[in-house]
Amino acid sequence: MLPYVWLSLAIASLWLPPRASAGTLPLRRTISAAWLALAVTHGYTTGVVMPLGVLAILAFGLLCYLDSRGHQVLTPIATVVFSLALMAHVVPGFSNLLIVRDIVLSPGAVPYTLYLNFDKAQIALFLLAFGPPLLSSGTDVVTMLKGAVPGVLVLIAVLMACALWVGQVRLDLKWPEIFPVWAWANLLFTCAAEEALFRGVIQRRSQGDSASPTLRNGRGIAGLAIAGIVFGL
C-alpha cells in the first residue's frame, strides 16, 4: 500500500504553486520527482513495479518531456498511444494492488472489482508535470468554480433524473466500507489520469492554442466533441 501513498503525494505535489522554485528547478516538480523516486523504489522492492515497469515509467516520462518541448507531430500521437496503453494495462512490468474482487455493493448490482493502478497513475503524474497549467492562481480557481459549478450541478441533476427514469440506477443510500479507498483511487489514479489525457491533451490539442474557453468558435466545439467521443469509446 505504501508505494501508492508515495505516488499519491507525487501527484498531489503538482498542485503546488507553479511559479515557486527550488533553485533553478520548479518546486512542484522537484518535490514530485522525490516522491516518485521513493514510490518506484519502494514499489520495486515490494513487487508492485518490475524492471520493465521501471523502464516504461522512464520512457513515458521522457516522451512527455519531449512533447512539452516542441510541437512535433509524432510526439503528441506517441504520448496519447502510450497513455492509452497504460490505461488499458497492456504495458508489462506492473502488478497492481487488488483491493476487492467481484463485491456486490447492493442487491441486484453488478459485481465490482477495485485495483490501485500504479501504471495508470503515471499518466496523471507526467502529463500534469510537463503540461502547461490551466489554473495558475487562486483567482483562476475561483473563476473556474463560478463558471463551472452551476452548470455541473444542473447537468448531474438532469442525468441522474434520466437514469432513474429509465431504470439504469435506483436510489440506495449507503456508505460501503471500501468508500475511502475507492475515493482515493478514483480521484488520484483514475480521474486525474483521464482528465489529464482526454481534456489536457486530446481536447486541448484538438482545440488549438487559440480555442476560446467559452467555445464560441467551431474548433473549440469540435475539440470538445472529439475528446468526449474518444473518452466515451
Side-chain angles (χ1 to χ4, degrees):
M1 185 72 75
L2 280 178
Y4 294 91
V5 174
W6 314 141
L7 186 57
S8 298
L9 292 171
I11 296 172
S13 299
L14 296 171
W15 272 276
L16 291 171
R19 295 187 179 89
S21 62
T24 58
L25 297 174
L27 181 62
R28 64 192 187 100
R29 289 185 185 175
T30 303
I31 296 177
S32 180
W35 284 120
L36 175 62
L38 179 58
V40 173
T41 301
H42 198 169
Y44 185 83
T45 61
T46 54
V48 174
V49 188
M50 287 155 277
L52 283 177
V54 176
L55 292 176
I57 292 172
L58 293 173
F60 184 65
L62 177 61
L63 179 61
C64 292
Y65 170 76
L66 293 175
D67 185 40
S68 71
R69 303 295 293 177
H71 300 282
Q72 296 89 352
V73 175
L74 293 180
T75 50
I77 296 175
T79 299
V80 171
V81 171
F82 206 146
S83 297
L84 292 174
L86 288 167
M87 193 171 290
H89 314 299
V90 297
V91 178
F94 298 93
S95 179
N96 294 316
L97 179 63
L98 175 66
I99 302 299
V100 293
R101 183 188 296 278
D102 294 335
I103 185 175
V104 178
L105 296 174
S106 297
V110 297
Y112 178 71
T113 297
L114 175 64
Y115 282 89
L116 295 183
N117 294 314
F118 204 93
D119 47 3
K120 186 175 181 177
Q122 305 305 316
I123 303 170
L125 181 69
F126 286 109
L127 293 185
L128 289 173
F130 294 116
L134 291 174
L135 304 173
S136 57
S137 68
T139 302
D140 290 343
V141 173
V142 172
T143 302
M144 179 275 295
L145 291 175
K146 286 182 178 180
V149 169
V152 167
L153 293 178
V154 171
L155 180 61
I156 290 174
V158 171
L159 289 176
M160 291 306 297
C162 291
L164 286 166
W165 181 51
V166 302
Q168 180 68 29
V169 299
R170 70 172 183 268
L171 190 63
D172 184 16
L173 301 178
K174 56 185 175 296
W175 186 279
E177 292 182 3
I178 66 169
F179 180 81
V181 178
W182 173 86
W184 166 38
N186 199 54
L187 175 62
L188 291 178
F189 300 154
T190 300
C191 294
E194 292 175 357
E195 294 302 318
L197 175 60
F198 293 104
R199 302 302 174 191
V201 175
I202 296 176
Q203 180 175 317
R204 184 186 296 181
R205 296 293 177 87
S206 300
Q207 290 179 330
D209 295 335
S210 60
S212 168
T214 55
L215 302 179
R216 292 176 181 172
N217 60 71
R219 187 169 179 181
I221 296 174
L224 178 63
I226 290 170
I229 290 171
V230 175
F231 176 71
L233 292 174

